[in-house]
Amino acid sequence: MNNSFLKRINRAVLVSALLALSQTVMAKPVVVIPSEKLIQGYAVSYSPNGKLFATTGYNNTVTVWSTQTGKAKHILRGHTGSVYAVRFSPDGKTLVSGGADSILIVWDAFTGKRMLTLRGHSGSVFMLDYHPDGAQIVSGSSDRSAIVWSSTTGKTIYALKQHTGSVDAVAFSPNGRYIATGSSDSTAVIWNAKTGRPIQTLKHHTGGIPGVSFSPDNRFLATGSTDDSVILSDVTTGRLIRTLKGHSGDVFTVSFSPDGKQVASASQDMT
């Protein structure tokens, strides 16, 4: 994932931030934040209770916003480069950020205090996810690796090394048994989350994979690619189930609906 790619996804991130403040059924704005208050950035994350959301920006900070008032509650300073990723923990008590300075920082979501600094990557950190129980964090980096960390001690549990390109997407499965990684090398890998060993290597795409998402029942993995497609694969066998075409540009991100019956995707084509 290079700088030009990161710049192209800014527009999608800002749209996501605005959608996060809208009611999902009627799509009516709950809170409107003036554009001059939003630093153009790379990532957005909603707290589990829906009361907060976090955005990242070029200015090396993470901003935590109130969804009720639209005001910034905390501006988190600690990174020395652009912040590319942010994610709230499943219990909403902490959030983790990562970026161009190669480090991850775990923050207290209520006080804004820095709790842990995680060091281990030698390149930019592009994507993050928490284990469903909140005990672990997985990060993907331009150094071609993903690292699984303890969220309480900040220590490395193991590194996932197989990709030959930057790791642009990471995700834990809902049951916590698997980790998926997507890379600019056009492959996605499904890993055993307990051992860190690869289970399946998916070679269905012809472009990089910046988006991965497990189905709620853990049976399928959706991957979004710079080849303009979304592919559904069987987690256990790695078999290609279906190719979804319709976009005319890079697919940045994918997500299953809560019931697993639909997949949403966002693309450079602005759809």
Side-chain angles (χ1 to χ4, degrees):
M1 186 184 290
N2 55 35
N3 287 334
S4 62
F5 183 87
L6 288 168
K7 289 177 181 178
R8 292 203 304 272
I9 68 173
N10 287 338
R11 202 176 307 170
V13 168
L14 291 176
V15 170
S16 296
L18 295 175
L19 289 177
L21 295 178
S22 299
Q23 295 175 335
T24 56
V25 177
M26 299 302 294
K28 294 181 180 179
V30 177
V31 173
V32 177
I33 299 175
S35 60
E36 62 268 18
K37 291 187 178 181
L38 284 170
I39 302 297
Q40 282 193 334
Y42 299 109
V44 60
S45 179
Y46 221 121
S47 67
N49 65 8
K51 294 182 178 180
L52 302 171
F53 81 102
T55 58
T56 70
Y58 292 125
N59 63 346
N60 308 349
T61 66
V62 177
T63 303
V64 180
W65 304 84
S66 167
T67 58
Q68 297 173 321
T69 66
K71 295 181 179 180
K73 293 181 68 69
H74 304 295
I75 298 178
L76 310 180
R77 295 181 172 88
H79 287 284
T80 58
S82 295
V83 184
Y84 298 144
V86 66
R87 184 63 62 95
F88 275 94
S89 61
D91 63 9
K93 294 180 179 179
T94 62
L95 64 158
V96 62
S97 57
D101 57 9
S102 305
I103 66 171
L104 284 70
I105 300 177
V106 178
W107 311 85
D108 186 300
F110 302 111
T111 66
K113 292 184 178 180
R114 182 172 179 162
M115 299 173 64
L116 294 170
T117 301
L118 285 54
R119 302 180 187 276
H121 283 296
S122 59
S124 297
V125 177
F126 289 140
M127 198 62 67
L128 302 163
D129 196 21
Y130 270 94
H131 188 281
D133 68 9
Q136 297 176 2
I137 297 167
V138 62
S139 56
S141 171
S142 62
D143 65 11
R144 304 179 182 180
S145 76
I147 295 179
V148 176
W149 317 76
S150 165
S151 63
T152 55
T153 67
K155 293 183 178 180
T156 298
I157 298 174
Y158 52 74
L160 307 176
K161 295 184 177 181
Q162 178 174 307
H163 289 292
T164 58
S166 63
V167 179
D168 299 335
V170 295
F172 277 104
S173 62
N175 63 9
R177 296 178 182 176
Y178 308 109
I179 297 171
T181 55
S183 172
S184 61
D185 66 9
S186 304
T187 70
V189 179
I190 299 171
W191 310 79
N192 183 310
K194 185 176 182 179
T195 65
R197 295 178 180 175
I199 298 172
Q200 299 291 342
T201 299
L202 310 180
K203 300 180 179 180
H204 307 316
H205 286 288
T206 59
I209 302 173
V212 297
S213 177
F214 283 97
S215 61
D217 62 6
N218 308 286
R219 294 177 57 198
F220 306 110
L221 181 73
T223 50
S225 173
T226 58
D227 64 11
D228 305 351
S229 74
V230 175
I231 287 179
L232 302 183
S233 301
D234 185 286
V235 168
T236 303
T237 66
R239 183 171 63 91
L240 190 156
I241 302 298
R242 183 173 298 176
T243 300
L244 307 177
K245 295 184 178 181
H247 287 295
S248 58
D250 299 351
V251 180
F252 302 132
T253 185
V254 291
S255 181
F256 274 94
S257 61
D259 63 7
K261 295 180 179 180
Q262 297 178 329
V263 178
S265 57
S267 168
Q268 183 188 1
D269 65 13
M270 299 303 294
T271 66

